[in-house]
């Protein structure tokens, strides 16, 4: 049996009629930039994140960059974030002219540690940028307290966690700005790139929109220098159809995770820890395994794909050498990277496939496969 880490085609097939219809609708409308599909998607995502405003952009990385630019973050500013994330989190901080300051992660949740972040605050700190890694909300109350006490902005990288909630509040809408990606593999993924910024602040929303449209409100008149970063109506139409399934698909991910958690109890593979105040939506199901390479190899041979999130923490990336971090500086992150083994957790895994993954994993660990 072949089991991919995530099966995007299965998502399409479940909604094929509606998605084909939505794409045809756009092709026949003659509107290929902006328009009602984009406006409706923005309204619908604002509802899901419990925010007043949502401004769609070209991708999740631009969502982060434009959110920070809109908030006035730039040269001379420091932004505290986690080294245990996708590269775009730090890349966007640098692109907006600021300096990423890394703090180690919590041993259990693997999200940015509020205590470690607090220790990094300097007079230059402008914002804290936690990431809801793998779909699990970061400790937002602790970050909100920290941000209020020091007068900092709180920006959420919710690229992996759309639909998740912290103490009942949807992520993305808890900080001053929330950034979401519609990359195809994300919990809500399009058929290409896409992203969105959510906020309750009218001025910030307005600024993100202005920046993403060449700094222009009125055609051919430009107030500021921005860029061109928009979500296509074709993507918006697809995303609207898939959005109707987001919560159901997140529930299915949780069911797969619950079954895996139960089966892995008492084995040498540690299931992902789930904090009680957060609702984990398992964008990825990342276990910790001190023998990751050989277990991953054993599973690959049996047709089961696994993932490594992330093989190199951000503070040790070649591109970020100039920041001056050294190996050993963030031991929790470094161990999490060494032992990370992601198992297939898509909403389209049948019970039979889930059984196969667990059965073969236990065989491989016992040395029987
Ligand atoms: C995917 C992702 C991004 C970037 O999103 P793109 O749409 O690929 O630009 C940023 N941060 C995190 C944590 C992500 O997982």
């Amino acid at each position: 049996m072949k089991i991919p880490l995530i099966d995007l085609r299965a998502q399409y097939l479940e909604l094929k009629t509606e998605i084909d219809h939505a794409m045809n609708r756009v092709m026949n409308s003659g509107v290929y930039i902006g328009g009602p599909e984009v406006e409706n998607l923005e309204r619908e995502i604002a509802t899901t994140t419990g925010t007043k405003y949502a401004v769609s952009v070209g991708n999740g990385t631009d969502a982060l960059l434009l959110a920070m630019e809109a908030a006035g973050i730039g040269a001379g500013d420091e932004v505290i974030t986690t080294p245990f994330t996708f590269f775009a989190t730090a890349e966007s901080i640098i692109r907006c002219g600021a300096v990423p300051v890394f703090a180690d992660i919590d041993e259990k949740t693997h999200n940015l540690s509020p205590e470690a972040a607090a220790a990094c605050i300097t007079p230059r700190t402008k914002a804290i940028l936690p990431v809801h890694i793998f779909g699990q909300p970061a400790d937002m109350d602790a970050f909100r307290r920290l941000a209020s006490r020091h007068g900092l902005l709180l920006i959420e990288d919710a690229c992996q966690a759309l639909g998740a909630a912290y103490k009942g509040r949807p992520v993305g809408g808890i900080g001053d700005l929330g950034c979401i990606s519609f990359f195809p593999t994300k919990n809500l993924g399009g058929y290409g790139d896409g992203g969105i910024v959510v906020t309750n602040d009218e001025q910030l929303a307005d600024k993100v929109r202005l920046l993403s449209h060449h700094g222009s409100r009125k055609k051919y008149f430009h107030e500021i220098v921005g860029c061109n970063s928009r979500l296509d109506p074709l993507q918006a139409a697809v995303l609207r159809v898939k959005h109707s399934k987001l919560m159901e698909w997140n529930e299915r991910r949780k069911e797969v995770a619950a079954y895996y958690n139960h089966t892995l109890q008492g084995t040498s593979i540690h299931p992902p820890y789930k904090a009680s105040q957060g609702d984990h939506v398992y964008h990825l199901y990342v276990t910790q395994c001190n023998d990751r390479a050989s277990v991953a190899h054993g599973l690959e041979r049996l047709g089961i794909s696994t993932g490594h999130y992330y093989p190199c923490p951000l503070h040790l990336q070649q591109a970020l050498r100039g920041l001056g971090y050294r190996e050993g500086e963030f031991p929790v992150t470094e161990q999490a990277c060494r032992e990370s083994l992601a198992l297939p957790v898509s909403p389209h895994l049948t019970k039979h496939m889930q059984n196969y993954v667990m059965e073969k994993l236990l065989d491989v660990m016992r040395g029987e496969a």
Side-chain angles (χ1 to χ4, degrees), residues 218-245:
K218 189 173 151 208
K219 214 170 182 176
Y220 304 124
F221 291 87
H222 305 269
E223 296 172 28
I224 54 174
V225 174
C227 64
N228 175 7
S229 184
R230 295 181 283 233
L231 185 75
D232 301 338
L234 264 177
Q235 295 300 342
V238 169
L239 288 164
R240 290 183 67 205
V241 175
K242 294 183 78 182
H243 187 209
S244 68
K245 289 277 178 181

Side-chain angles (χ1 to χ4, degrees), residues 58-64 84-89 92 131-134 157-160 179-186 192-195 283 310:
N59 53 67
T61 308
D62 280 355
L64 287 161
F84 191 59
T85 177
F86 179 58
F87 187 67
T89 311
S92 53
V131 178
H132 306 299
I133 200 72
F134 307 143
D157 182 336
C159 286
Q160 302 188 356
C179 307
I180 291 153
S181 165
F182 299 129
F183 186 81
T185 58
K186 301 290 157 87
D193 279 311
H283 167 58
Y310 293 90

Side-chain angles (χ1 to χ4, degrees), residues 50-364:
T51 52
K52 286 198 204 135
Y53 309 97
V55 182
S56 58
V57 295
N59 53 67
T61 308
D62 280 355
L64 287 161
L65 171 62
L66 298 177
M68 284 187 269
E69 282 191 341
I73 297 172
D77 296 330
E78 293 175 355
V79 178
I80 298 172
T81 194
T82 164
F84 191 59
T85 177
F86 179 58
F87 187 67
T89 311
E91 186 178 41
S92 53
I93 295 171
I94 294 171
R95 294 284 306 211
C96 87
V99 177
V101 173
F102 296 122
D104 211 349
I105 55 175
D106 178 81
E107 290 198 10
K108 289 178 171 162
T109 64
H110 290 174
N111 274 317
L112 180 62
S113 152
E115 293 77 30
C120 294
I121 295 175
T122 75
R124 282 188 297 276
T125 308
K126 189 81 186 263
I128 308 177
L129 177 47
V131 178
H132 306 299
I133 200 72
F134 307 143
Q136 166 146 263
D139 189 354
M140 294 309 288
D141 278 352
F143 289 120
R144 174 46 78 200
R145 276 196 299 275
L146 208 54
S148 305
R149 195 175 319 134
H150 298 272
L152 307 175
L153 286 155
L154 180 57
I155 302 174
E156 293 172 71
D157 182 336
C159 286
Q160 302 188 356
L162 186 61
Y166 172 85
K167 297 187 178 172
R169 290 186 63 191
V171 303
I174 304 170
D176 298 295
L177 291 143
C179 307
I180 291 153
S181 165
F182 299 129
F183 186 81
T185 58
K186 301 290 157 87
N187 286 29
L188 176 57
Y191 294 146
D193 279 311
I196 201 162
V197 178
V198 295
T199 181
N200 284 309
D201 185 315
E202 186 179 2
Q203 281 182 337
L204 288 175
D206 184 64
K207 190 75 185 280
V208 172
R209 200 176 291 286
L210 192 62
L211 284 166
S212 67
H213 286 68
H214 301 291
S216 166
R217 248 180 264 274
K218 189 173 151 208
K219 214 170 182 176
Y220 304 124
F221 291 87
H222 305 269
E223 296 172 28
I224 54 174
V225 174
C227 64
N228 175 7
S229 184
R230 295 181 283 233
L231 185 75
D232 301 338
L234 264 177
Q235 295 300 342
V238 169
L239 288 164
R240 290 183 67 205
V241 175
K242 294 183 78 182
H243 187 209
S244 68
K245 289 277 178 181
L246 174 69
M247 291 306 187
E248 184 188 322
W249 287 357
N250 280 348
E251 286 306 314
R252 282 202 249 158
R253 289 172 184 273
K254 291 182 214 174
E255 284 165 22
V256 179
Y259 168 64
Y260 287 176
N261 287 344
H262 180 76
T263 313
L264 292 176
Q265 251 173 43
T267 73
S268 61
I269 295 207
H270 301 290
Y273 176 86
K274 189 192 153 307
S276 58
Q277 75 269 28
D279 165 41
H280 195 325
V281 291
Y282 298 97
H283 167 58
L284 293 164
Y285 184 88
V286 181
T287 67
Q288 295 289 299
C289 169
N290 56 25
D291 197 13
R292 83 156 312 280
S294 75
V295 173
H297 185 69
L299 289 175
E300 300 285 347
R301 256 186 323 174
L302 296 163
I304 300 169
S305 296
T306 63
H308 192 176
Y309 301 92
Y310 293 90
C312 179
L314 295 195
H315 66 289
L316 301 180
Q317 292 286 347
Q318 185 182 335
L320 305 182
R321 261 190 321 215
L323 296 175
Y325 291 101
R326 279 164 289 106
E327 191 163 353
E329 209 152 343
F330 301 118
V332 188
T333 296
E334 290 168 28
Q335 182 176 1
C337 286
R338 266 194 307 277
E339 301 190 345
S340 147
L341 179 72
L343 302 176
V345 73
S346 100
H348 293 87
L349 275 190
T350 62
K351 195 73 200 164
H352 184 59
M353 292 160 105
Q354 297 168 37
N355 287 334
Y356 183 79
V357 172
M358 284 296 109
E359 200 178 288
K360 294 303 168 194
L361 177 59
L362 297 177
D363 284 352
V364 166

